[in-house]
């Protein structure tokens, strides 16, 4: 009865842009602070870890169940992105984190 629609390239681009903007907002505000290593680890898992491992890694933050489900749904979309695109977005986010930590 229900057919699962495949996300289009534009939706993954919008998703990537959203992830980038959120990271910019969290890392590079006017306060002079370092990016939390746990956040960097979570970000790495978001792009590269299998869903099962990523789900377990999220539990260390004690999030509400709804938040974990939402994050896993977004991760499913990220996992559909081509490897090269994920690598580009991850490299940009790594550069941002590096600049924020200096």
């Amino acid at each position: 009865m229900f057919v699962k629609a495949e996300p289009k390239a534009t939706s993954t681009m919008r998703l990537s842009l959203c992830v980038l903007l959120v990271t910019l907002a969290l890392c590079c505000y006017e306060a002079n602070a370092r990016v939390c290593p746990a956040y960097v680890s979570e970000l790495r898992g978001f792009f590269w870890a299998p869903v099962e491992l990523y789900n377990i890694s999220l539990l260390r933050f004690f999030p509400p169940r709804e938040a974990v489900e939402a994050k896993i749904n977004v991760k499913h979309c990220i996992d559909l992105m081509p490897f090269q695109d994920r690598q580009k977005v991850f490299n940009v986010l790594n550069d941002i984190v590096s600049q924020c930590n200096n």
Side-chain angles (χ1 to χ4, degrees):
M1 178 169 248
F2 294 98
V3 177
K4 183 177 179 183
E6 290 294 322
K8 296 180 182 173
T10 56
S11 64
T12 57
M13 184 56 98
R14 287 184 202 144
L15 179 63
S16 301
L17 181 60
C18 291
V19 171
L20 177 62
L21 291 176
V22 168
T23 303
L24 282 171
L26 291 175
C27 296
C28 299
Y29 53 92
E30 288 189 23
N32 210 2
R34 293 193 165 283
V35 178
C36 176
Y39 176 72
V40 174
S41 173
E42 188 270 335
L43 185 64
R44 185 177 299 113
F46 183 69
F47 281 95
W48 306 118
V51 174
E52 296 80 16
L53 289 177
Y54 182 67
N55 191 14
I56 293 169
S57 74
L58 283 178
L59 297 178
R60 68 181 161 184
F61 299 110
F62 302 107
R65 188 186 90 249
E66 296 83 17
V68 172
E69 290 172 0
K71 192 85 171 184
I72 293 298
N73 285 339
V74 174
K75 175 147 178 52
H76 285 299
C77 292
I78 291 291
D79 289 345
L80 294 175
M81 289 175 65
F83 178 83
Q84 293 84 1
D85 292 345
R86 278 192 286 163
Q87 184 67 47
K88 288 176 187 175
V89 174
F90 184 74
N91 288 342
V92 169
L93 294 175
N94 256 352
D95 290 344
I96 293 168
V97 168
S98 296
Q99 288 180 6
C100 291
N101 283 343
N102 287 333

